[in-house]
Every structure is written in structure tokens, then in C-alpha cells.
Amino acid sequence: MDKIQKLKQEKEYEQYVKQKTPRHNVWLDMIRAFVTGGSICLIGQVIYHYCQIRQLSSDDCSSWTSLILVLLSVILTGTGIYPRIAKWGGAGALVPITGFANSVAAPAIEYKKEGQVFGIGCKIFTIAGPVILYGIFTSWTLGLVYWLWSAVS
């Protein structure tokens, strides 16, 4: 009797999990990510071409494009719009520069109420910190390998 009851509970729990687990339409998610990421890249391209029209150098166009995309991302994060875009567009909103700016701005906004030092200062790189750490470490390691390779040949 006890074994039958346990099996029944397991079956009920399995039904409960199936009911609560969100179902995803992979094709729709991919289309949304494509549209979101493509739109962000299109905005970046428009900014870049505008800078070219203003006859800025290629490096200046790239710098202004990056700066404006980061600024827009931080403003949209602060107003609560970027999280909605990310929820709808999924991975498409993680286009490197805007996604990174969002990952730095979001904790700063969230922990602002805890103060400048213990809130913003301690939590601002909660999400972006590992990216910075491993990016620097990988760059250093590859630089060392390149240097050793150059010294040998």
C-alpha cells in the first residue's frame, strides 16, 4: 500500500512539473532573437553610416557607434525597456556591446538603494565581472603563447 501511494505521489508530481514547465517554440524564439539582434546591429550600422556622412575617420565612426549603443542600452535599461526587449528577443538582445552595457547597468540600478559603496560599488560587476576576468585572463594567456611562439621561431 505504501509503495502504491508513493508511485501515485510521484505521478502527481510529474504531472505538476509538466503543467508548470514553460513550453518553448524554438523556431519562434530563433526568429525573435534574429529580429532583435538584427535590429540592434541595424541601429549600429545607421549610426556608423551617419558618422561617415559627417566625414569622420573609420576609427572615429567605430568609437561613436560603440559609445552611442552603450548609452542607448544604459538608458533603456534604466527606464525598464531593455529588460522587456531582452525578454521578447532572448539571446538576440545579448549582442555583445548592448548586452554587456545592460549587464553592468542593471545591477547598478538594482542595488542603488544599498548605497554607493556597498550597493553600486560592490554589485556593479556581478554579472559582467566574470566576463571581464576571463576575457583578460584569456588575452594574457594567448599573448604569452604568442610571445613564446615568436621567441622560438
Side-chain angles (χ1 to χ4, degrees), residues 80-143:
I81 296 171
Y82 199 90
R84 284 190 251 149
I85 293 170
K87 185 176 180 181
W88 186 84
L94 298 177
V95 172
I97 197 157
T98 55
F100 188 75
N102 175 59
S103 71
V104 172
I109 293 165
E110 182 177 347
Y111 293 105
K112 184 175 86 173
K113 62 186 169 279
E114 294 180 24
Q116 294 290 321
V117 175
F118 293 112
I120 296 172
C122 292
K123 302 290 186 173
I124 194 164
F125 292 112
T126 302
I127 297 170
V131 174
I132 295 169
L133 170 71
Y134 292 113
I136 291 171
F137 178 73
T138 303
S139 299
W140 182 84
T141 304
L142 291 174

Side-chain angles (χ1 to χ4, degrees), residues 27-39:
W27 291 103
L28 181 61
D29 289 347
M30 286 191 304
I31 290 169
R32 285 180 175 176
F34 179 79
V35 168
T36 304
S39 298

Side-chain angles (χ1 to χ4, degrees), residues 21-76:
T21 303
R23 292 174 183 83
H24 298 283
N25 182 337
V26 176
W27 291 103
L28 181 61
D29 289 347
M30 286 191 304
I31 290 169
R32 285 180 175 176
F34 179 79
V35 168
T36 304
S39 298
I40 292 170
C41 292
L42 176 67
I43 292 167
Q45 201 64 45
V46 167
I47 295 167
Y48 186 88
H49 284 303
Y50 176 76
C51 291
Q52 281 184 325
I53 290 169
R54 304 293 294 173
Q55 297 180 350
L56 296 174
S57 70
S58 181
D59 287 342
D60 287 344
C61 290
S62 298
S63 297
W64 277 106
T65 302
S66 298
L67 286 168
I68 292 169
L69 284 173
V70 167
L71 177 66
L72 289 173
S73 177
V74 170
I75 289 170
L76 292 175

Side-chain angles (χ1 to χ4, degrees), residues 8-24:
K8 187 178 179 183
Q9 283 179 337
E10 286 177 9
K11 213 170 208 176
E12 286 176 3
Y13 181 72
E14 192 175 312
Q15 271 309 91
Y16 174 76
V17 169
K18 279 184 181 178
Q19 183 183 15
K20 293 294 181 181
T21 303
R23 292 174 183 83
H24 298 283

